[in-house]
C-alpha cells in the first residue's frame, strides 16, 4: 500500500489530496479562488500567488486530517511543478520541497497536463474518502487500456496525445491559438455571463437551439490534429454585436449584448457549444482514424481537463464510444477541474519507477508534453 500526498497550485485552485495506490482518493481538498478573481473576469497572477500562500498550509493539513495520516505515514510528496502561473507554481513546489525534506520523503514533480489524463482513473473508497465537492462514482472505473488516445481540454490547454502508458505520453496536436476552455470563458464574457464562464455557458446552452446560428468548425489541414478556436470566438462576437467599425480598443459595434433577449442569448450559447464540441469530436475521430491507419490503433479514449465537465462533450464522447466500439474514460465530475488527486495519482506511476526529484526541482511555466 502506497499513500502519496499531492499538492496543486498551478493556477487559481489551492489543492491537496492523499491517494492510495494511484487511484483510491482518501482525501481531496480544493480551495477555489474564484471569488477573488471574479470582478476582474480572469485570473490575476499576483492575487493568485498571495492567496495560495495563505491557503496552502491549512489545505495540506486538512487533506492529511481527512486521510487520517501524518507526514510520517505518507510514502512520497508529489507536486504539479509545470505548467502554470510561475508565482502560483512556486508556492506549491516550495511547500512540497519543505515537507519532503522535513519528513524525509521522496519528492515527485508532475506535469499538470499529463495529470489531467490520470483523473479518469480516480475513485473514492467505498467508505467515503473526503474533501470538497464530492460526487462519488458508484464503483472503481476500469483502468484504460493502452495505447490510448488522450484529449486534454482545459482553460490553458487543448491537445491530443498518444498515451502508451500513464507515464509515456506523446503529443499529436494542440491548439494554435485559444484553448477551448479559454474560448468558453471569452464567449461567456461576450454573452455577459458570470465568471468563470464555461459552466454557465454550458447550462445556458441546454435552453437554446444549437442550429440557430451556424458557427465555424475550424478543422485546419485535412490531416491536422491541431485546433483553432479564435475564429469561433470572433464569429460569436460578431453575431452578438454586429460588425465593428475601427479596430482594437477603438472598435465601435452596432449592438450591445445587453440588447439580447433570453431566447437569443440561449440560442447563441447553444450554437457556440455545438460548434466547439463538434470540433473536438471531429478531431478525436480524425486522430482515431490516423492511429488505426498506423501501427498502434487506440484501445481506449481518455479525456481530461476542466472542459471534460461539459455536458454536451460527455454525451457526444459516450455516443462516439458506442459507435466506434472504444472504451471512453471520463473523470468523475469532481476530478475534471484542477485538483491534487490527479497529481498524487500520476505520481504513483513514477513512484513505482523510482523516478524521484531532488530539492532542485524547478517550477516551470510550460508543459513537458
Ligand atoms: O482544467 P481546469 O480546471 O484549469 C486549467 O488547467 O486550465 O479548466 C478550467 C476551464 C475553464 O476555462 C472553465 O471555464 C472550463 O474549464 N469549464 C468548462 C465547464 N466546466 C469548466 N467549460 C465548458 N463547460 C463546462 N461545463
Ligand atoms: Zn488544469
Amino acid at each position: 500500500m502506497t499513500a502519496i500526498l499531492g499538492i496543486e497550485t498551478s493556477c487559481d485552485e489551492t489543492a491537496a489530496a492523499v491517494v492510495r495506490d494511484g487511484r483510491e482518493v482518501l482525501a481531496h481538498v480544493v480551495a477555489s479562488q474564484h471569488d477573488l478573481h471574479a470582478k476582474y473576469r480572469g485570473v490575476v497572477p499576483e492575487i493568485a500567488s498571495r492567496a495560495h500562500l495563505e491557503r496552502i498550509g491549512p489545505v495540506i493539513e486538512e487533506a492529511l486530517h481527512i486521510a487520517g495520516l501524518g507526514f510520517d505515514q505518507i510514502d512520497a510528496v508529489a507536486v504539479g511543478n509545470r505548467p502554470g502561473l510561475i508565482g502560483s507554481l512556486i508556492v506549491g513546489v516550495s511547500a512540497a520541497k519543505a515537507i519532503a525534506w522535513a519528513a524525509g520523503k521522496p519528492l515527485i514533480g508532475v506535469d499538470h497536463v499529463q495529470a489531467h489524463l490520470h483523473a479518469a482513473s480516480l475513485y473514492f473508497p467505498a467508505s467515503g474518502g473526503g474533501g470538497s465537492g464530492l460526487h462519488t462514482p458508484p464503483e472503481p472505473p476500469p483502468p484504460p487500456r493502452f495505447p490510448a488516445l488522450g484529449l486534454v481540454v482545459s482553460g490553458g490547454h487543448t491537445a491530443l496525445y498518444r498515451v502508451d502508458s500513464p507515464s509515456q505520453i506523446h503529443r499529436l496536436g494542440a491548439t494554435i491559438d485559444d484553448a477551448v476552455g479559454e474560448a468558453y470563458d471569452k464567449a461567456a464574457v461576450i454573452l455577459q455571463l458570470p465568471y468563470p464562464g464555461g459552466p454557465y455557458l454550458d447550462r445556458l446552452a441546454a435552453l437554446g437551439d444549437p442550429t440557430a446560428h451556424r458557427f465555424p468548425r475550424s478543422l485546419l489541414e485535412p490531416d491536422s490534429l491541431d485546433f483553432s478556436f479564435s475564429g469561433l470566438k470572433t464569429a460569436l462576437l460578431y453575431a452578438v454585436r454586429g460588425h465593428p467599425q475601427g479596430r482594437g480598443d477603438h472598435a465601435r459595434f452596432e449592438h450591445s449584448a445587453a440588447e439580447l433577449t433570453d431566447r437569443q442569448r440561449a440560442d447563441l450559447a447553444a450554437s457556440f457549444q455545438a460548434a466547439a464540441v463538434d470540433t473536438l469530436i471531429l478531431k478525436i475521430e480524425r486522430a482515431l482514424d490516423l492511429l488505426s491507419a498506423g501501427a498502434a490503433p487506440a484501445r481506449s479514449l481518455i479525456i481530461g481537463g476542466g472542459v471534460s465537465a461539459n455536458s454536451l462533450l460527455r454525451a457526444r464522447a459516450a455516443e462516439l464510444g458506442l459507435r466506434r466500439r472504444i472504451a471512453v474514460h471520463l473523470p468523475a465530475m469532481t476530478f475534471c477541474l484542477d485538483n491534487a488527486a490527479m497529481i498524487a495519482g500520476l505520481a504513483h506511476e513514477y513512484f513505482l519507477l523510482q523516478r524521484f526529484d531532488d530539492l532542485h526541482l524547478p517550477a516551470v511555466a510550460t508543459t513537458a508534453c
Side-chain angles (χ1 to χ4, degrees):
M1 201 283 279
T2 305
I4 296 184
L5 170 67
I7 297 173
E8 156 61 36
T9 61
S10 67
C11 190
D12 60 343
E13 325 277 3
T14 315
V18 179
V19 176
R20 183 155 57 196
D21 295 333
R23 301 185 63 204
E24 196 179 358
V25 181
L26 303 182
H28 164 54
V29 179
V30 181
S32 166
Q33 303 176 6
H34 288 167
D35 51 334
L36 301 180
H37 303 285
K39 73 174 168 185
Y40 306 101
R41 293 181 160 262
V43 177
V44 182
E46 180 61 20
I47 294 175
S49 325
R50 284 171 188 271
H52 284 307
L53 209 50
E54 287 165 10
R55 295 164 191 212
I56 189 72
V59 163
I60 292 171
E61 273 175 22
E62 190 183 341
L64 288 169
H65 175 74
I66 291 168
L69 298 176
F71 285 127
D72 54 326
Q73 290 163 298
I74 55 168
D75 296 286
V77 185
V79 60
N81 74 311
R82 66 188 308 167
L85 300 171
I86 197 71
S88 293
L89 288 167
I90 285 171
V91 176
V93 169
S94 305
K97 284 180 182 174
I99 295 168
W101 179 75
K105 304 291 177 183
L107 175 69
I108 303 175
V110 172
D111 185 288
H112 175 97
V113 179
Q114 296 191 16
H116 270 305
L117 289 173
H118 190 82
S121 296
L122 299 171
Y123 63 92
F124 292 110
S127 58
S132 40
L134 298 187
H135 300 267
T136 309
E139 55 190 53
R145 300 200 306 159
F146 299 103
L149 176 66
L151 173 71
V152 175
V153 276
S154 74
H157 294 88
T158 299
L160 283 161
Y161 299 92
R162 195 189 75 228
V163 186
D164 292 329
S165 77
S167 59
Q168 289 175 295
I169 297 175
H170 308 275
R171 192 168 76 182
L172 301 171
T175 183
I176 59 171
D177 42 52
D178 292 349
V180 64
E182 186 182 356
Y184 261 90
D185 293 338
K186 288 177 178 168
V189 171
I190 294 170
L191 291 171
Q192 296 187 335
L193 299 175
Y195 172 87
Y200 288 98
L201 200 151
D202 186 9
R203 257 173 266 151
L204 181 61
L207 308 174
D209 173 5
T211 63
H213 301 266
R214 178 75 194 168
F215 289 138
R217 279 90 169 136
S218 175
L219 300 181
L220 305 171
E221 298 299 314
D223 59 351
S224 169
L225 296 178
D226 289 332
F227 299 88
S228 167
F229 289 101
S230 66
L232 170 59
K233 178 191 66 190
T234 307
L236 175 73
L237 178 69
Y238 288 179
V240 171
R241 305 201 56 190
H243 283 266
Q245 289 189 336
R247 312 188 95 203
D249 291 343
H250 302 293
R252 301 186 69 139
F253 287 90
E254 297 164 304
H255 306 290
S256 145
E259 296 164 27
L260 294 171
T261 64
D262 289 350
R263 174 87 233 167
Q264 287 171 326
R265 203 183 296 270
D267 286 349
L268 286 158
S271 302
F272 173 90
Q273 172 135 298
V277 173
D278 261 0
T279 308
L280 295 173
I281 294 292
L282 287 163
K283 284 289 161 117
I284 290 173
E285 302 234 31
R286 189 180 273 181
L288 289 173
D289 291 341
L290 286 171
L291 290 175
S292 291
R299 302 172 74 199
S300 63
L301 169 64
I302 309 170
I303 305 181
V307 184
S308 65
N310 184 267
S311 59
L312 183 64
L313 178 60
R314 293 178 84 89
R316 293 281 308 275
E319 179 275 324
L320 177 148
L322 289 175
R323 181 164 40 81
R324 295 191 65 132
R325 294 168 191 273
I326 186 165
V328 179
H329 299 266
L330 284 156
M333 288 299 268
T334 191
F335 299 128
C336 291
L337 295 169
D338 287 351
N339 66 84
M342 65 185 195
I343 302 289
L346 179 55
H348 181 249
E349 299 288 330
Y350 303 147
F351 185 89
L352 296 177
L353 298 168
Q354 301 274 294
R355 223 160 95 182
F356 300 134
D357 291 290
D358 61 24
L359 295 179
H360 295 292
L361 178 73
V364 183
T366 54
T367 178
C369 63

